Amino acid sequence: MPPNSCQWLDYGPSGAVYLKVQVVVDFFHTGAGMHKSSWQNRRHGRRSHRQNPWFRQHGSNERHNAGAQQSPRRSSHCDDEAPSTSSGTAGSSSVPDLPGYYYDPEKKRYFRLLPGHNNCNPLTKESIRQKEMESKRLQLLEQEDKQGKKIARLGFNASSLLQKSKLGFLNVTSYCRLAHELRVSCMQRKKVQIQSSDPSALASDRFNLILADTNSDRLFTVNDVKVGGSKYGIINLRGLKTPAFRVHMHENLYFTNRKVNAVCWASLNHLDSHILLCLMGIAETPGCATLLPASLFVSSHPAGGDRPGMLCSFRIPGAWSCAWSLNIQANNCFSTGLSRRVLVTSVVTGHRQSFGTSSDVLAQQFALMAPLLFNGCRSGEIFAIDLRCRNQGKGWQATRLFHDSAVTSVQILQEEQCVMASDMAGTIKLWDLRTTKCIRQYEGHVNEYAHLPLHVHEEEGIVVAVGQDCYTRIWSLHDAQLLRTIPSPYPTSKADIPSVAFSSRLGGFQGAPGLLMAVRQDLYCFSYS
């Protein structure tokens, strides 16, 4: 008797005893075939059934009842077939979700999930998820290339907006906001040609982050060097004009092999005269905050507007975030967020103020009118420091808000009555500082553990964020409507999350509006007019 078979006695109408043999087939048996003896026993049983009229009637009922159960067995007869790339979920309404197996809707069968990557062609949940994400990304890229004009809101286009504005249904503010939304939905991707004195480095160095200055005529870049370490540069955006998108990258010899934790533009001599960098310490070298003059980058600044600056370095270990103050009550000062501490340092005098916190400070921004410094913590707390209080005197915490996850970005709106924050759970909230309540939430952002920035542009009325899934999403600041989802030009990867910069005047006051996206060694421009 085969090991996967069973037998029992049955009695016919004439009292004769019959030996029934049934082969128990594994529901998900995929590799080996049946034993020959098992098939012989089944054929012998079928001949006995055909000879006896009682078995002929009884067997037809059994086949009718078991017909639905035999079809999935036949669908899993061979495991040599590879599953199709158009994978679906096993937990759909018509197909049961079975632990350890994956259902392919095109093949209409189950495939076994392997526990690890020690197989030459493993089928794991991670690989299935990556195939699904890549298929979705390619579909979106194809739609981006085919559709020249997209609709951000149903019922709104250029002609309807103009007609409603003439009829008085829209005021000037609403018309400009909706017009920007239409332009954002029609942005087209163009690759930017980067010129440099070292073209070979452009082909190997990968973009880590980009940061536009206040007037959007310069772009500070941090590139990961192939041999290890980081290299800094400034891209002049004055040549970013249609139809040929050409820019020039200016580099210098300032080179470090330490990780850049945070960066921001600093206005020491004039507006955006320096770049503030927070570098992580390694081995016996402690971390530091460095003020790097933009004048060190040859021809990176307009002629006659800058003088050679001095590089300043402050010994500040383990800084997670940084911010430069434009507030008159904290002139020429910058802040650094450390582990359970906030330091406010004066560049001129070197004086420091220290404020103790209960968690690591991952995001910071100074208010412009009120003497406040807003901080976002790993614990999910957002609090403001009153800069008029000295060190840890009473009453230095002005406002307290709470997220459910680590806060990665804090942005203060222009009137300083609201603050927007994002966290590592993918939540983006707009808070009213007067009532300390969330008044709006922006859905769709994806983040699990990454330290991702948030970009708020009140003039255009949009919010921009890049998720951990490498998709760039644009929302309406007014009502949290998702206006655009832009896929990455490259496959989704944790190491290839794009860095973006948006402005209505890329390249200066006479520049074209649009979005800049840096990923791997390439720079793309999504422009609209």
Side-chain angles (χ1 to χ4, degrees):
M1 182 69 60
N4 290 333
S5 63
C6 62
Q7 61 180 353
W8 66 91
L9 298 177
D10 199 358
Y11 295 88
S14 60
V17 180
Y18 294 92
L19 178 64
K20 298 183 67 177
V21 179
Q22 179 180 358
V23 178
V24 181
V25 183
D26 187 2
F27 185 80
F28 300 104
H29 184 71
T30 57
M34 294 290 184
H35 290 284
K36 184 176 180 181
S37 60
S38 301
W39 289 107
Q40 291 176 354
N41 291 334
R42 292 188 66 184
R43 287 197 296 270
H44 176 72
R46 284 196 294 269
R47 285 196 298 268
S48 301
H49 286 202
R50 286 194 294 269
Q51 292 173 2
N52 194 299
W54 181 86
F55 272 109
R56 195 178 300 118
Q57 180 181 0
H58 184 70
S60 62
N61 294 334
E62 287 182 348
R63 287 191 300 271
H64 177 73
N65 295 333
Q69 300 178 1
Q70 291 177 358
S71 58
R73 297 180 186 176
R74 299 191 191 101
S75 65
S76 58
H77 61 86
C78 178
D79 199 24
D80 296 334
E81 273 187 278
S84 65
T85 55
S86 59
S87 56
T89 58
S92 61
S93 58
S94 59
V95 181
D97 188 5
L98 298 170
Y101 290 87
Y102 155 71
Y103 183 79
D104 192 318
E106 185 174 327
K107 299 287 185 182
K108 296 182 180 180
R109 54 161 293 189
Y110 287 87
F111 291 89
R112 183 174 179 137
L113 293 173
L114 300 182
H117 295 273
N118 55 351
N119 193 286
C120 60
N121 186 22
L123 182 63
T124 61
K125 289 184 178 180
E126 183 65 24
S127 63
I128 293 171
R129 182 171 175 268
Q130 289 179 355
K131 286 183 178 180
E132 291 176 350
M133 293 180 64
E134 180 63 12
S135 177
K136 178 183 176 182
R137 186 189 69 87
L138 293 176
Q139 289 178 2
L140 286 177
L141 280 177
E142 187 177 357
Q143 293 176 4
E144 291 270 341
D145 296 335
K146 287 183 178 180
Q147 298 179 4
K149 294 184 178 180
K150 305 173 185 61
I151 300 176
R153 298 176 186 270
L154 294 177
F156 280 92
N157 51 40
S159 59
S160 64
L161 280 181
L162 185 60
Q163 185 178 5
K164 290 180 180 181
S165 177
K166 290 181 177 180
L167 294 175
F169 295 126
L170 293 175
N171 55 28
V172 177
T173 304
S174 299
Y175 176 78
C176 293
R177 175 176 57 83
L178 293 173
H180 269 294
E181 292 182 3
L182 280 177
R183 292 175 177 177
V184 165
S185 64
C186 297
M187 293 189 304
Q188 296 292 319
R189 183 181 73 250
K190 301 293 183 181
K191 189 173 182 179
V192 180
Q193 298 180 9
I194 305 176
Q195 300 175 349
S196 174
S197 57
D198 188 6
S200 61
L202 293 177
S204 59
D205 300 344
R206 302 164 64 96
F207 282 104
N208 190 348
L209 64 89
I210 58 174
L211 184 66
D213 63 357
T214 305
N215 295 328
S216 300
D217 57 357
R218 291 175 299 171
L219 201 67
F220 180 74
T221 65
V222 178
N223 294 72
D224 294 332
V225 184
K226 188 176 182 180
V227 296
S230 299
K231 184 173 64 175
Y232 312 135
I234 289 183
I235 295 179
N236 193 337
L237 299 178
R238 294 297 179 93
L240 194 65
K241 298 179 181 180
T242 56
F245 292 90
R246 293 190 182 93
V247 294
H248 193 89
M249 175 176 284
H250 304 276
E251 302 170 347
N252 72 337
L253 300 177
Y254 190 75
F255 182 87
T256 177
N257 58 357
R258 288 186 284 178
K259 180 183 177 182
V260 179
N261 279 348
V263 60
C264 69
W265 286 91
S267 303
L268 184 59
N269 299 336
H270 52 78
L271 184 64
D272 300 333
S273 61
H274 289 67
I275 301 101
L276 177 63
L277 297 168
C278 290
L279 306 177
M280 179 178 286
I282 56 171
E284 298 180 356
T285 305
C288 66
T290 301
L291 274 172
L292 185 64
S295 58
L296 291 180
F297 300 88
V298 180
S299 302
S300 64
H301 199 274
D306 198 8
R307 293 178 297 175
M310 183 174 61
L311 188 146
C312 305
S313 185
F314 302 86
R315 185 173 178 177
I316 300 177
W320 293 102
S321 57
C322 65
W324 182 264
S325 173
L326 294 176
N327 194 297
I328 192 64
Q329 299 191 43
N331 192 26
N332 292 331
C333 292
F334 69 91
S335 67
T336 48
L338 313 177
S339 296
R340 302 178 181 272
R341 192 160 54 117
V342 173
L343 284 181
V344 179
T345 306
S346 173
V347 178
V348 178
T349 63
H351 179 263
R352 292 183 181 179
Q353 290 179 262
S354 179
F355 302 89
T357 64
S358 60
S359 181
D360 301 338
V361 180
L362 304 181
Q364 292 183 309
Q365 189 179 15
F366 283 94
L368 184 61
M369 296 180 289
L372 297 175
L373 169 63
F374 285 84
N375 305 269
C377 298
R378 191 184 298 276
S379 62
E381 180 185 7
I382 302 172
F383 64 90
I385 296 176
D386 192 337
L387 299 175
R388 295 169 294 185
C389 299
R390 298 300 176 186
N391 294 338
Q392 298 198 32
K394 294 182 179 180
W396 60 270
Q397 277 194 349
T399 305
R400 296 185 70 187
L401 308 170
F402 295 94
H403 275 236
D404 296 330
S405 184
V407 177
T408 60
S409 183
V410 175
Q411 297 291 326
I412 307 171
L413 271 62
Q414 289 178 0
E415 295 182 356
E416 299 185 1
Q417 295 179 354
C418 296
V419 63
M420 184 174 288
S422 62
D423 58 30
M424 288 189 182
T427 304
I428 302 176
K429 292 183 177 181
L430 181 64
W431 295 88
D432 191 331
L433 297 176
R434 297 163 293 184
T435 61
T436 64
K437 292 183 179 180
C438 176
I439 59 177
R440 200 167 296 132
Q441 188 164 336
Y442 300 78
E443 304 290 343
H445 185 50
V446 176
N447 192 7
E448 296 177 356
Y449 57 84
H451 196 169
L452 301 176
L454 180 67
H455 309 274
V456 181
H457 302 274
E458 288 190 74
E459 182 180 351
E460 297 83 12
I462 63 172
V463 179
V464 183
V466 180
Q468 202 170 346
D469 57 351
C470 298
Y471 284 86
T472 303
R473 294 176 175 86
I474 304 176
W475 296 267
S476 169
L477 178 64
H478 178 72
D479 58 2
Q481 171 78 26
L482 182 61
L483 304 176
R484 183 85 180 266
T485 300
I486 303 175
S488 173
Y490 290 98
T492 302
S493 172
K494 298 176 182 178
D496 295 329
I497 299 178
S499 180
V500 300
F502 183 89
S503 175
S504 60
R505 294 176 296 271
L506 287 176
F509 292 105
Q510 297 181 353
L515 174 77
L516 288 176
M517 175 187 294
V519 56
R520 293 193 182 181
Q521 294 88 5
D522 297 329
L523 182 66
Y524 296 91
C525 180
F526 295 78
S527 63
Y528 67 90
S529 57

